[in-house]
Amino acid sequence: MNSFEITANLVDVLQQEIYPAKIYIADGRIRQITRTTDDCEGFIMPGFIDAHVHVESSMLVPSEFARLAVVHGTVATINDPHEIANVVGVPGVEYMLENGKQVPFKFNFGAPSCVPATAFETAGATIDAAAVASLLLRNDIKYLTEMMNFPGVLHKDPEVMAKIAAAKSMNKPVDGHAPGLRGEDARHYIQAGISTDHECFTIEEAREKLSYGMHILIREGSAAKNFEALIPLLPDYYEKIMFCSDDKHPDNLEEGHINLLVKRALAKGNELFKVLRAACVNPVLHYQLDNGLLREDDAADFILVDNLKDFNILGTWINGIKVAENGRTLIKSVDIAPINNFDCEPKNVVDFFIPSTRESVTVPVIGAIEGELITEKLSAVLHPVNGNIQSDTRQDVLKLAVVNRYTNAPIAMAFIKGFGLKEGAIASSVAHDSHNIIAVGADDQSLCTAINAVIAAKGGISVVSKSGMDVLALPVAGLMSNLDGYTISAKYSAMDRAAKGIGSTLASPYMTLSFMALLVIPHLKLSDKGLFDGDTFTFVDQDLN
Amino acid sequence: MNSFEITANLVDVLQQEIYPAKIYIADGRIRQITRTTDDCEGFIMPGFIDAHVHVESSMLVPSEFARLAVVHGTVATINDPHEIANVVGVPGVEYMLENGKQVPFKFNFGAPSCVPATAFETAGATIDAAAVASLLLRNDIKYLTEMMNFPGVLHKDPEVMAKIAAAKSMNKPVDGHAPGLRGEDARHYIQAGISTDHECFTIEEAREKLSYGMHILIREGSAAKNFEALIPLLPDYYEKIMFCSDDKHPDNLEEGHINLLVKRALAKGNELFKVLRAACVNPVLHYQLDNGLLREDDAADFILVDNLKDFNILGTWINGIKVAENGRTLIKSVDIAPINNFDCEPKNVVDFFIPSTRESVTVPVIGAIEGELITEKLSAVLHPVNGNIQSDTRQDVLKLAVVNRYTNAPIAMAFIKGFGLKEGAIASSVAHDSHNIIAVGADDQSLCTAINAVIAAKGGISVVSKSGMDVLALPVAGLMSNLDGYTISAKYSAMDRAAKGIGSTLASPYMTLSFMALLVIPHLKLSDKGLFDGDTFTFVDQDLN
């Protein structure tokens, strides 16, 4: 079979040593490493690993995600298929597994722990403790994904405890998700057997969780960015730190991945071996991956970089297969037959009317904040026209709609401030965690058109302006495209520009929109079942008539 | 490559289900499992795993151990190369690794934690914390072996803690060895990160250690036998129980292995799936082995048995290779180039004299006990002949000698009761843990001849009788043969019979002999440096002159 030799400076992260070496590879494994006195160019080192990512956020299926990621020296990811699981359930997880196996890239999927995320919204599926246990018996399910239900852990909810017990029974790790959890609660949560957290936003919180034995993932994605806050942990805790993106939009993935965090960490003066331990080694050890670390008999997973400062990726190899070269992916696209769960009919403009017989009405308003998942509780005075309360672009109080995508149901309506649209509308079937259709619009007709475009595509993101309508179809579960990743990256950028063209002042309007239905993050959100107060965990009664 | 299909009743231990299935295997992995309605004969199930064994005790190198073990359905072992490490150090560990890789069998070696075992004897090598850490970086070193130095753990000895930290840093398990440790001491020992124990001899001790989170190995070997005491744990703790042999003599290995424990556990009425979970699954999960468990994509490691009561092994497969069939091994012997550390010259009979000018002298006597590693502290009155205190067969008080095998040094002499020799002598270079030469004899000349036979062979076991001398050479580190395992099994049986022929009343004279220099087990033992009191951890001053 495939056998070859590479001569380069070998960066041995485990032994903390760099030396010129001839590396002989056969049948996908490193067979021999010989020290040489030859002058070598370039540095060969283990590839980078994203220790927590929802591939779905890239709007690419795993096989396309891999094509873009390997260019940046990424060889493996720890994946939580939480998004597709909320839409399609276990078959969605299996879909991701099977698609991922079609390309030379090391995806490592977990069993989703929290599907659905809450009982206050309509999700497409449920994965109960029995289904979680069954997934964990598989050899290709490596861990239990982020246990967001920390109250359930602290109160020993039987269903939650059964999921954790199933992971322990298979000696597989349990990922955490406990933003802001401190003190005794944090200690109990960790003692329940939860060994990672990627949600720390302050260094004090991370230090405390480390002291209780947790591994901390420094997250820097398209949405949450914690690198600057947490990177000072690295010198003292480099054996317990990993890097992750959590969510990466396609344009952002095309720009770079874990390689960018490595460069930034080094630019801050961190030691090379500590940075690489976090970026390349710790996920392999913690999640017991079959990734190679450049030892004899290891899988031949490695990258070649020009030098240890610029980290330009000259080549990426996985199982001895060259998958990227000088910024160009060598992975071929594979056929992608979509899977979906999308069954609602087009809407009429009258469905978006908010009737009121009053002259003026005070409405509750969701206050969207740039770069945050949290919202504010605001209110505004609006003046109904012809018995319908309308969006008011002067006040930037716009109609927000959430449409059940799984069945025909009444539309949930509310008002939102912060998007800044002056005309048209944007809509998306990416709406955490249940992924119903969410849209914001300057007028009812645009709102309806934008939503119907998403419905017609059986999922996607759309934009409506005076000059027309555009849609990026996401036929795979209404979350991912079935097309080439680079095409989607370009298209997503165009959609983003179009949303800004109709007035949005947000850095990433589709991303912000996708979190406006995420009930578990306060203060005010819109479920498909109505306006929801995240502080009291109850629906808000909107009496506008 | 190799591809084939087997149709049989599949015993799915993880799913706890038995069903007729067609299993398609290619390139060493299970590619597809299809349920069938055909009538099937035989049961296909995961193979057995010995969760803790010193291969050296079989007097066979790993490649020969494998040949005998696969016949009994064993597919993997967790190995502690402690014995060869005490003789040869790290190169000994590497020797075992390389030899083991030459046959289709899943050896899983650890880094020895306690070499040398004590400072009161002459071992052949030292493996310090730095060497342990270096071993643990290897991908073929799976764990840190039994941490016998529990006082060192409890008192946080820096060298001990560094070894444990090295294992934790690589997320590899640490095996325990803490016979009789209870209460707070046991809790602290376990909290240090030590996750197994195979030394429990009472069920209460095992229950307590389980309650602190430990995994318990039920041991039944040629030496220690804890099966009857501990098997009642299985129903309640089957996810935390494994089976192991610890030490298996060659004749004993030829008779059976973990398969015998499975049959015995079932005969006691235990549930099949619980027994198989302990015998086949738990070691895979705890030590993160690459062993297959009969799932799609798993390595094709399995056995075929006639029925689930007799458990006759019709065939054993490892990585899709058939390695045993109907009691016959299909593994070919490989060339074995011995490694050794043996450098002492032949002795003279006068070297074994114990001078005394007295008429009668009271000597301390080691009291050997059938089937125990513990000895008694006894004494006897002896009458020197020509100024030399001699063995007294009437009282069964015989001379015991320990000869430094690593260099020429004075011989350590003492007296022992319990062997029952009426003539001749037996000697062995298997003498835990430093593996110097140990011998017991009815007269000085026989003692000298037996020891010189071992020296001439550069290691082995010998027997001297009136009718002659016989030796089983163990040229690999003085512990293992380089010959065919079945030949050695037969030869060992013959040696055992010969030792009994000169009067030994012990069930296994060579085994008992091999523990008479094991200083860490009280009460009275003989090191190459002198008579040793295991209660006070000091040498005994023998003033016999």
Side-chain angles (χ1 to χ4, degrees):
Chain A
M1 225 181 94
N2 184 29
S3 88
F4 60 101
E5 196 173 79
I6 296 185
T7 304
N9 296 293
L10 191 154
V11 183
D12 187 329
V13 184
L14 290 172
Q15 306 268 11
Q16 306 207 3
E17 189 186 359
I18 300 174
Y19 58 89
K22 279 185 204 296
I23 300 157
Y24 175 67
I25 293 115
D27 294 347
R29 302 196 86 79
I30 292 175
R31 300 299 171 178
Q32 199 169 32
I33 298 175
T34 322
R35 283 172 194 258
T36 166
T37 50
D38 300 1
D39 260 3
C40 294
E41 285 194 7
F43 292 79
I44 199 164
M45 48 176 278
F48 303 122
I49 299 171
D50 189 336
H52 176 71
V53 61
H54 306 281
V55 161
E56 298 95 317
S57 297
S58 71
M59 299 180 181
L60 307 179
V61 293
S63 60
E64 288 295 322
F65 179 97
R67 292 182 65 234
L68 272 65
V70 292
V71 167
H72 309 306
T74 309
V75 294
T77 49
I78 311 297
N79 302 89
D80 178 5
H82 175 75
E83 314 309 337
I84 197 168
N86 267 283
V87 174
V88 197
V90 169
V93 178
E94 289 168 342
Y95 179 89
M96 300 294 268
L97 284 165
E98 292 315 309
N99 169 269
K101 285 175 187 171
Q102 292 182 52
V103 291
F105 187 85
K106 302 203 166 176
F107 290 105
N108 297 280
F109 285 94
S113 70
C114 299
V115 177
T118 78
F120 299 97
E121 58 200 303
T122 305
T126 297
I127 299 186
D128 63 10
V132 163
S134 179
L135 279 172
L136 283 163
L137 294 182
R138 293 178 61 133
N139 61 5
D140 52 5
I141 291 288
K142 304 298 179 78
Y143 71 107
L144 180 63
T145 74
E146 48 182 326
M147 180 47 78
M148 300 190 287
N149 187 358
F150 57 81
V153 175
L154 297 177
H155 302 119
K156 301 203 195 310
D157 175 85
E159 185 82 0
V160 168
M161 297 321 276
K163 290 172 182 173
I164 293 173
K168 284 184 180 175
S169 159
M170 293 300 288
N171 197 21
K172 294 181 178 181
V174 182
D175 269 5
H177 166 121
L181 199 69
R182 303 291 297 269
E184 279 305 283
D185 281 353
R187 206 167 58 78
H188 286 131
Y189 179 75
I190 293 162
Q191 281 183 343
I194 297 169
S195 53
T196 70
D197 196 359
H198 57 267
E199 293 286 342
C200 295
F201 44 86
T202 68
I203 197 161
E204 294 74 24
E205 176 188 351
R207 277 220 184 85
E208 186 180 0
K209 286 176 175 166
L210 282 161
S211 79
Y212 299 143
M214 213 170 214
H215 298 250
I216 295 298
L217 279 59
I218 298 181
R219 170 176 61 177
E220 187 85 349
S222 300
K225 295 180 191 297
N226 309 119
F227 180 85
E228 292 296 332
L230 301 183
I231 194 66
L233 292 168
L234 190 69
D236 288 345
Y237 298 103
Y238 65 96
E239 290 196 347
K240 308 278 272 181
I241 300 288
M242 304 179 233
F243 294 130
C244 75
S245 68
D246 206 352
D247 297 289
K248 269 287 212 193
H249 282 186
D251 53 340
N252 209 222
L253 178 62
E254 190 179 348
E255 289 159 19
H257 198 188
I258 302 302
N259 59 323
L260 301 181
L261 303 186
V262 167
K263 281 182 72 171
R264 285 171 64 183
L266 290 170
K268 286 179 180 290
N270 282 290
E271 287 175 39
L272 175 72
F273 288 119
K274 291 185 174 180
V275 174
L276 297 186
R277 172 91 191 197
C280 312
V281 172
N282 289 340
V284 175
L285 302 181
H286 182 70
Y287 293 98
Q288 305 278 357
L289 310 184
D290 71 352
N291 271 72
L293 295 172
L294 284 171
R295 297 170 294 190
E296 285 183 358
D297 270 352
D298 270 358
D301 308 320
F302 53 81
I303 61 177
L304 181 69
V305 300
D306 55 348
N307 62 60
L308 298 175
K309 196 175 147 225
D310 299 321
F311 274 101
N312 286 311
I313 315 289
L314 307 180
T316 305
W317 285 258
I318 296 176
N319 286 340
I321 300 166
K322 194 167 191 178
V323 291
E325 186 170 50
N326 296 321
R328 199 164 47 88
T329 191
L330 301 179
I331 301 180
K332 300 266 175 285
S333 292
V334 300
D335 282 344
I336 301 160
I339 187 175
N340 212 340
N341 185 4
F342 206 108
D343 192 17
C344 68
E345 284 168 21
K347 306 302 168 190
N348 298 309
V349 67
V350 296
D351 297 335
F352 298 92
F353 286 1
I354 302 179
S356 178
T357 54
R358 303 190 209 158
E359 279 246 329
S360 79
V361 58
T362 301
V363 300
V365 174
I366 299 168
I369 307 170
E370 175 65 74
E372 300 271 8
L373 311 190
I374 281 184
T375 59
E376 290 176 296
K377 281 182 195 169
L378 307 174
S379 69
V381 176
L382 296 175
H383 302 278
V385 177
N386 299 329
N388 172 27
I389 314 177
Q390 301 189 340
S391 292
D392 181 348
T393 55
R394 279 175 310 122
Q395 291 190 71
D396 186 27
V397 173
L398 307 179
K399 273 190 182 169
L400 180 71
V402 174
V403 175
N404 185 322
R405 65 132 101 176
Y406 301 106
T407 186
N408 294 314
I411 296 170
M413 299 293 300
F415 291 92
I416 192 162
K417 189 179 177 70
F419 274 77
L421 300 188
K422 296 303 176 194
E423 61 170 273
I426 59 173
S428 175
S429 59
V430 179
H432 302 280
D433 280 327
S434 289
H435 303 297
N436 288 299
I437 309 162
I438 191 164
V440 59
D443 62 273
D444 294 348
Q445 184 56 57
S446 295
L447 204 54
C448 183
T449 304
I451 283 171
N452 282 344
V454 169
I455 292 173
K458 298 255 179 198
I461 63 172
S462 67
V463 58
V464 172
S465 68
K466 279 179 192 154
S467 59
M469 189 276 286
D470 200 3
V471 64
L472 162 52
L474 300 173
V476 181
L479 300 171
M480 292 169 279
S481 170
N482 57 345
L483 302 179
D484 166 81
Y486 289 97
T487 304
I488 298 309
S489 170
K491 177 81 180 179
Y492 179 80
S493 296
M495 297 294 291
D496 182 70
R497 280 195 303 275
K500 288 165 182 166
I502 58 172
S504 180
T505 51
L506 291 167
S508 185
Y510 287 104
M511 188 177 73
T512 303
L513 185 63
S514 74
F515 291 115
M516 294 302 108
L518 181 60
L519 309 189
V520 291
I521 309 269
H523 298 284
L524 203 56
K525 294 289 174 73
L526 186 61
S527 148
D528 66 291
K529 295 178 175 176
L531 191 63
F532 188 78
D533 186 325
D535 299 319
T536 59
F537 246 64
T538 54
F539 287 107
V540 177
D541 189 14
Q542 297 183 77
D543 178 15
L544 308 175
N545 219 14
Chain B
M1 223 181 94
N2 185 28
S3 87
F4 60 101
E5 196 173 80
I6 297 185
T7 303
N9 297 292
L10 190 153
V11 183
D12 187 330
V13 184
L14 290 172
Q15 306 268 10
Q16 305 207 4
E17 188 186 0
I18 299 174
Y19 58 89
K22 278 185 205 296
I23 300 158
Y24 175 69
I25 293 113
D27 294 345
R29 302 196 86 79
I30 293 175
R31 302 298 172 178
Q32 198 169 32
I33 299 175
T34 322
R35 281 170 195 260
T36 167
T37 51
D38 300 0
D39 260 2
C40 293
E41 284 196 7
F43 292 80
I44 198 164
M45 48 177 278
F48 303 123
I49 299 172
D50 188 336
H52 176 72
V53 61
H54 305 280
V55 161
E56 298 95 317
S57 296
S58 71
M59 299 179 182
L60 307 179
V61 294
S63 60
E64 288 296 322
F65 180 98
R67 292 182 65 233
L68 272 65
V70 293
V71 167
H72 309 304
T74 309
V75 294
T77 48
I78 310 296
N79 303 89
D80 178 4
H82 175 74
E83 313 310 337
I84 196 169
N86 266 285
V87 174
V88 198
V90 169
V93 178
E94 288 168 342
Y95 179 91
M96 299 294 269
L97 284 165
E98 292 315 310
N99 170 269
K101 285 175 187 171
Q102 292 183 53
V103 292
F105 187 84
K106 301 200 166 178
F107 290 104
N108 297 281
F109 284 93
S113 71
C114 300
V115 176
T118 76
F120 299 96
E121 57 200 303
T122 305
T126 296
I127 300 186
D128 64 10
V132 163
S134 179
L135 280 172
L136 284 163
L137 295 182
R138 293 178 61 135
N139 61 4
D140 51 7
I141 290 289
K142 304 297 179 77
Y143 71 106
L144 180 63
T145 75
E146 49 182 323
M147 179 47 78
M148 298 191 289
N149 187 357
F150 57 80
V153 175
L154 297 177
H155 300 119
K156 301 203 195 312
D157 174 85
E159 186 80 1
V160 168
M161 298 320 276
K163 290 172 182 173
I164 294 174
K168 284 185 180 173
S169 160
M170 293 300 290
N171 197 22
K172 294 182 177 179
V174 182
D175 268 7
H177 167 119
L181 199 70
R182 303 290 298 267
E184 280 304 283
D185 281 352
R187 207 166 57 78
H188 287 130
Y189 179 76
I190 293 161
Q191 281 181 343
I194 297 169
S195 53
T196 70
D197 197 359
H198 56 268
E199 293 286 341
C200 294
F201 44 86
T202 68
I203 197 162
E204 294 75 23
E205 176 189 351
R207 278 219 182 85
E208 186 179 1
K209 286 176 175 167
L210 282 161
S211 78
Y212 299 144
M214 212 170 215
H215 297 250
I216 295 297
L217 279 60
I218 298 181
R219 171 177 59 178
E220 187 84 349
S222 300
K225 298 183 190 292
N226 309 119
F227 180 86
E228 292 298 331
L230 301 183
I231 195 67
L233 292 169
L234 191 70
D236 289 344
Y237 299 102
Y238 64 97
E239 289 196 346
K240 309 277 272 178
I241 299 287
M242 305 179 232
F243 294 129
C244 76
S245 68
D246 206 353
D247 297 289
K248 267 288 210 195
H249 281 185
D251 53 340
N252 209 223
L253 178 63
E254 190 178 348
E255 288 159 20
H257 197 190
I258 302 300
N259 59 323
L260 300 181
L261 303 186
V262 168
K263 281 182 71 171
R264 283 170 65 184
L266 289 170
K268 286 179 180 291
N270 283 290
E271 288 175 38
L272 176 72
F273 288 118
K274 292 185 174 181
V275 174
L276 298 186
R277 171 92 192 196
C280 312
V281 172
N282 289 340
V284 176
L285 302 182
H286 182 70
Y287 294 97
Q288 304 279 357
L289 310 184
D290 72 351
N291 270 71
L293 295 173
L294 284 172
R295 297 169 295 189
E296 285 183 357
D297 270 351
D298 269 358
D301 307 320
F302 53 81
I303 62 177
L304 180 69
V305 301
D306 56 349
N307 62 60
L308 297 175
K309 193 174 151 232
D310 300 320
F311 274 99
N312 288 310
I313 315 289
L314 307 180
T316 305
W317 286 259
I318 296 175
N319 286 340
I321 300 166
K322 193 167 193 179
V323 291
E325 186 170 51
N326 296 322
R328 198 163 49 89
T329 192
L330 302 179
I331 300 179
K332 300 268 176 281
S333 291
V334 299
D335 282 343
I336 301 160
I339 188 174
N340 212 341
N341 185 4
F342 207 106
D343 192 16
C344 68
E345 283 168 21
K347 306 301 170 192
N348 298 309
V349 68
V350 294
D351 298 336
F352 299 91
F353 286 3
I354 301 178
S356 179
T357 53
R358 302 187 209 161
E359 278 245 331
S360 81
V361 58
T362 302
V363 299
V365 173
I366 299 169
I369 308 171
E370 174 65 71
E372 300 272 7
L373 312 191
I374 281 184
T375 59
E376 290 177 295
K377 282 182 198 169
L378 307 174
S379 66
V381 176
L382 296 175
H383 301 278
V385 178
N386 300 329
N388 172 27
I389 314 177
Q390 302 188 341
S391 293
D392 181 350
T393 56
R394 278 175 310 125
Q395 292 189 68
D396 187 26
V397 173
L398 307 180
K399 274 192 183 169
L400 180 71
V402 173
V403 176
N404 185 322
R405 64 133 103 177
Y406 301 106
T407 187
N408 294 313
I411 297 169
M413 299 292 303
F415 291 92
I416 191 162
K417 187 177 178 73
F419 273 78
L421 301 187
K422 297 298 179 199
E423 62 170 270
I426 58 174
S428 174
S429 59
V430 179
H432 302 280
D433 280 324
S434 291
H435 303 296
N436 288 300
I437 309 162
I438 190 163
V440 60
D443 64 90
D444 295 348
Q445 185 56 57
S446 295
L447 204 53
C448 183
T449 304
I451 284 172
N452 283 344
V454 169
I455 293 173
K458 297 255 177 198
I461 63 174
S462 67
V463 59
V464 172
S465 67
K466 279 180 195 154
S467 58
M469 190 274 288
D470 201 2
V471 65
L472 162 53
L474 301 173
V476 182
L479 301 171
M480 293 169 279
S481 170
N482 57 346
L483 301 180
D484 166 82
Y486 289 97
T487 304
I488 298 309
S489 170
K491 177 80 182 178
Y492 178 80
S493 295
M495 296 294 292
D496 182 71
R497 280 194 303 276
K500 289 166 182 164
I502 58 172
S504 180
T505 50
L506 292 168
S508 185
Y510 287 104
M511 188 176 72
T512 302
L513 184 63
S514 73
F515 291 115
M516 294 303 108
L518 181 61
L519 308 189
V520 293
I521 308 265
H523 298 282
L524 202 56
K525 294 289 174 73
L526 186 60
S527 147
D528 65 293
K529 296 179 175 177
L531 191 63
F532 188 79
D533 186 325
D535 299 319
T536 59
F537 246 62
T538 53
F539 286 107
V540 177
D541 188 15
Q542 296 185 76
D543 178 17
L544 307 175
N545 216 13

